[in-house]
Amino acid sequence: MKKIKIISIIAIAFLSVGTLISGCSLAGLNLQKDYNRSTTDTIDAHLYKTAWAYMKARAYGSATDTIFRRMYDGVIYSGIDTNEYTKPNRTYIFLQNNTIINITKNATTGVITKTGLWISYTVNGAQATSWASYSKTDVKNYLSYLILLGSYTHTNLPVTKDAEYQTLAPAGVYTTNPVTFKAPGTFNTNPKSTMMVHVSNANTVTSQLDYPIVLNQTTNIDVSDLLATNGVIDVIRGTNTVPFFFPAAQ
């Protein structure tokens, strides 16, 4: 097996508010490069705050750094207990704004394209326009699914072969694909509301990620192993697939 390369430097770049070490903006994040995997934290990826404090700081903490504002708004709308983001020994999957809704306009044709969770997760067949298009229960269940019970990083996740991890979402909510929060694609029942996770033992050229963490065989984490005081934060940005709440067919 190839020696796995860890991406700690990306975590450090992600910590800076405004500009990256490389000089790129966060939205244009230079993704994971070639760094030797280590069981020690060779570059400090600690946030020195809870996952909830980090989300708030990068949602409404300043006028220029708002990359988690839409996720924060979803948390508030859903009514999920925000203390869930302060409890220890958890892995939190955060979605950047443009993962939830991304709107682009072709400079030549003027054609507007919309992508993201609000577009792909439909409500009775229609695209959403805001969190309020969905029921609070559906949003709460989905946000709960993005919280894994346990702290998982490149150092303790399996390589290439999936392992099953329990999420905070209640068992039974994803035995079917809910029509009021319907995920695209072929649905596979997930009665225990678990998530399949592994570390890819390859460079995925198409996404420019080196040895990414992979969720449910479909979604690569863009920025991983950020260390909050109460667990781990992984981040998905708009160019990646919104995490499904069910595994792909085996």
Side-chain angles (χ1 to χ4, degrees):
M1 183 183 70
K2 295 180 181 179
K3 187 177 182 180
I4 305 302
K5 306 295 181 69
I6 196 164
I7 42 65
S8 297
I9 195 167
I10 301 305
I12 297 305
F14 201 79
L15 303 185
S16 63
V17 179
T19 58
L20 299 175
I21 292 174
S22 64
C24 296
S25 67
L26 182 59
L29 182 64
N30 283 333
L31 298 176
Q32 301 162 337
K33 300 298 182 183
D34 233 13
Y35 293 90
N36 290 330
R37 182 182 185 182
S38 170
T39 56
T40 61
D41 187 25
T42 56
I43 299 179
D44 188 6
H46 291 83
L47 302 173
Y48 301 102
K49 60 184 68 176
T50 66
W52 180 237
Y54 185 62
M55 185 191 297
K56 287 197 299 181
R58 307 204 72 175
Y60 287 96
S62 77
T64 56
D65 184 21
T66 63
I67 64 167
F68 297 131
R69 179 169 291 183
R70 288 194 176 109
M71 184 169 184
Y72 176 89
D73 289 345
V75 170
I76 299 304
Y77 169 74
S78 74
I80 189 174
D81 186 353
T82 58
N83 287 322
E84 298 294 353
Y85 292 92
T86 66
K87 292 181 180 179
N89 194 33
R90 292 186 170 183
T91 301
Y92 301 92
I93 300 166
F94 281 13
L95 308 179
Q96 281 191 203
N97 290 337
N98 57 2
T99 307
I100 296 167
I101 182 66
N102 189 45
I103 303 174
T104 58
K105 183 177 181 179
N106 187 291
T108 303
T109 65
V111 173
I112 295 175
T113 302
K114 297 180 181 180
T115 58
L117 185 148
W118 290 350
I119 304 304
S120 58
Y121 280 65
T122 57
V123 185
N124 297 314
Q127 295 176 350
T129 57
S130 70
W131 288 118
S133 297
Y134 307 111
S135 73
K136 292 185 177 182
T137 298
D138 282 332
V139 177
K140 180 179 179 180
N141 287 339
Y142 185 69
L143 293 174
S144 297
Y145 188 74
L146 300 183
I147 301 175
L148 279 67
L149 305 183
S151 294
Y152 305 110
T153 69
H154 279 77
T155 62
N156 62 358
L157 285 169
V159 178
T160 68
K161 185 176 181 179
D162 274 315
E164 185 177 22
Y165 298 98
Q166 188 61 55
T167 72
L168 186 62
V173 298
Y174 294 129
T175 55
T176 61
N177 196 353
V179 296
T180 53
F181 194 85
K182 190 173 184 179
T186 303
F187 177 76
N188 297 295
T189 188
N190 188 7
K192 296 186 292 182
S193 298
T194 55
M195 186 181 293
M196 307 301 289
V197 186
H198 72 271
V199 175
S200 175
N201 188 23
N203 179 297
T204 57
V205 176
T206 55
S207 65
Q208 300 178 9
L209 295 173
D210 289 348
Y211 313 103
I213 294 172
V214 183
L215 312 178
N216 283 338
Q217 299 98 34
T218 56
T219 303
N220 292 337
I221 293 295
D222 289 290
V223 179
S224 55
D225 303 354
L226 298 174
L227 304 178
T229 55
N230 62 312
V232 178
I233 298 173
D234 294 327
V235 180
I236 297 173
R237 67 174 193 163
T239 57
N240 215 333
T241 305
V242 179
F244 296 142
F245 43 73
F246 55 89
Q250 298 294 314

